[in-house]
Amino acid sequence: MVSRARRLAAQLRDLRNAAAAFPDALVLLDADGRVRWVNRAATRLLGLAWPRDRGVLLSERLHEGALGEWLRSGEARAEDIDAPIDAGIRINARWIAFGRDQRVLRVRDVSELARLEQVRRDFVANVSHELRTPLTVIHGYLELLDPQEVPALAPVLGEMRVQSRRMGQIVEDLLTLSRLEMQQHLPEEHVPMAATLSSIHKEALALSQGRHRITFEDNAQCDLRGSAKDLHSAFSNLVSNAVRYTPSGGEIKIRWQRTPEGAEYSVTDTGYGIPAEHLARLTERFYRVSSSRSRATGGTGLGLSIVKHVLNLHHARLVIDSEPGKGSTFTCRFDAARLLDPGVENA
Ligand code: ADP
């Protein structure tokens, strides 16, 4: 009997020692949100100490800064925010529920990952920026050369122009992505949807050049709050994809409609469709289902990445439904908090 109790006690001690030495901060809470126990990493990452902080209300003890804001928000996770005691440390935080009404707060130091991510972003931004000037020069000279003066080189010149334009577009798209990634806050503009959709509709007609039946529905009767330029670019990317990945004779529907949660912008096509195994990776940079088809239609492989970033900045989501051989629907879902009444400027 005694030895069993001792064994259990030893097991318990081992478990607690293991949790105490865990590299992530762990904060065990009771049903009222009071601290029951914290491990050693909680001192370094959160400034909490055991046994000093036993019984304190976590929301009061950590009420400041980004972590305090997240604790009040009730959201399940926070990513890449400042640690409360040292803004040089970046953390991820999440709630883990267990037992009855008990929760553990787990906080991980992601400073090194955040630093590497920054190095990657800076590198891409710098490379794109450095490429821009030489490309402009090459492009300029190519435009100056008249193929009629050297007919033998006409096909070569034509191809060089196409490729230099393509490289220019890739560089511009990479710079747009860099800007979106570095952007913390959105302009809070009133984005008039009727005007935006009408310009998207015109673009669709111009891109398709009569090869598709393009229909258009605006039932939402509401506007958006955010960046007019970026939203226009995201919406127009989806239309350009629908045109490029739908053979002649197909149909493209552009819709702006209300939903129980807010409103959604969707583009449906009757094109090639996308096999299910590709869907999850479609918004990665340069990810393509078919490289040859993307290139042949003038794609940079960056369009959907741009769409995803723009939507993230607007707290909106991209949903993709597709069936190979039948077609695809790309939907941008906006929360009610993003919507404005039409015509209410600067609301
Ligand atoms: P791209 O410039 O190659 O079109 P995107 O990022 O816009 O790059 O799209 C990534 C890939 O997703 C495309 O290469 C294509 O394979 C696929 N895709 C995007 N939109 C559609 C669509 N409407 N129908 C079929 N496939 C699509």
Side-chain angles (χ1 to χ4, degrees):
M1 212 39 203
V2 174
S3 73
R4 184 154 180 260
R6 217 179 268 152
R7 236 186 9 255
L8 277 175
Q11 258 174 14
L12 215 62
R13 212 170 38 242
D14 285 350
L15 273 176
R16 180 172 277 212
N17 285 343
F22 208 61
D24 295 346
L26 298 173
V27 182
L28 189 63
L29 294 185
D30 65 16
D32 298 329
R34 290 183 187 277
V35 172
R36 287 184 60 200
W37 182 77
V38 306
N39 71 349
R40 286 201 285 277
T43 304
R44 187 175 74 84
L45 295 176
L46 302 170
L48 298 173
W50 183 255
R52 185 195 69 199
D53 288 315
R54 170 192 284 169
V56 301
L57 263 178
L58 190 73
S59 53
E60 279 182 10
R61 183 75 173 70
L62 298 177
H63 71 281
E64 281 178 18
L67 189 71
E69 214 170 281
W70 171 70
L71 288 172
R72 281 188 292 281
S73 77
E75 281 170 23
R77 288 163 187 269
E79 282 185 8
D80 198 10
I81 57 173
D82 287 345
I85 50 163
D86 180 351
I89 300 179
R90 309 292 299 169
I91 54 172
N92 281 359
R94 64 170 291 197
W95 288 112
I96 300 165
F98 72 100
R100 202 193 293 162
D101 291 341
Q102 298 205 71
R103 287 184 302 167
V104 177
L105 172 67
R106 193 199 71 188
V107 174
R108 178 167 289 174
D109 182 348
V110 292
S111 312
E112 186 55 14
L113 271 179
R115 194 186 64 77
L116 288 173
E117 180 65 10
Q118 189 59 44
V119 169
R120 181 193 66 76
R121 270 184 217 151
D122 290 350
F123 177 76
V124 174
N126 289 337
V127 168
S128 314
H129 209 82
E130 294 296 328
L131 283 174
R132 201 188 217 171
T133 314
L135 262 174
T136 313
V137 174
I138 293 174
H139 194 69
Y141 280 128
L142 281 174
E143 291 296 326
L144 277 181
L145 290 173
D146 184 354
Q148 281 176 350
E149 284 179 16
V150 260
L153 287 183
V156 179
L157 267 181
E159 183 61 16
M160 282 168 83
R161 277 183 190 168
V162 169
Q163 295 301 339
S164 97
R165 232 173 272 137
R166 224 174 83 71
M167 263 173 97
Q169 192 54 56
I170 292 175
V171 166
E172 289 312 314
D173 281 1
L174 281 172
L175 284 169
T176 301
L177 267 174
S178 296
R179 176 179 61 76
L180 291 169
E181 274 188 335
M182 287 176 197
Q183 201 164 329
Q184 301 279 343
H185 301 288
L186 271 175
E188 300 277 296
E189 294 161 356
H190 182 115
V191 185
M193 282 304 280
T196 306
L197 292 166
S198 129
S199 125
I200 299 273
H201 191 192
K202 279 190 201 124
E203 281 174 33
L205 293 171
L207 278 171
S208 160
Q209 304 221 317
R211 285 174 295 137
H212 309 93
R213 202 167 86 80
I214 298 175
T215 58
F216 178 77
E217 262 175 50
D218 174 7
N219 301 323
Q221 305 296 326
C222 59
D223 288 346
L224 282 171
R225 189 166 47 81
S227 158
K229 180 172 144 234
D230 292 332
L231 285 171
H232 185 281
S233 137
F235 295 161
S236 131
N237 254 308
L238 295 180
V239 167
S240 149
N241 281 353
V243 170
R244 292 190 298 115
Y245 298 109
T246 304
S248 293
E251 198 178 322
I252 294 166
K253 262 191 216 144
I254 304 166
R255 268 184 292 208
W256 173 233
Q257 58 199 353
R258 290 281 180 141
T259 61
E261 295 77 33
E264 63 184 31
Y265 166 87
S266 65
V267 180
T268 301
D269 64 54
T270 57
Y272 305 114
I274 303 152
E277 67 268 25
H278 295 285
L279 290 180
R281 302 196 55 193
L282 229 47
T283 56
E284 288 174 20
R285 285 156 197 234
F286 299 115
Y287 190 89
R288 293 151 163 140
V289 177
S290 150
S291 297
S292 54
R293 188 174 278 161
S294 159
R295 291 210 179 90
T297 58
T300 61
L302 294 167
L304 289 180
S305 285
I306 293 178
V307 172
K308 192 177 133 193
H309 272 86
V310 170
L311 293 185
N312 278 351
L313 279 170
H314 288 82
H315 303 290
R317 269 189 323 128
L318 177 67
V319 181
I320 310 173
D321 293 301
S322 190
E323 211 177 311
K326 292 234 162 109
S328 318
T329 297
F330 287 74
T331 308
C332 310
R333 296 217 165 117
F334 294 90
D335 286 342
R338 275 279 141 210
L339 308 184
L340 294 174
D341 287 336
V344 181
E345 297 293 334
N346 302 320

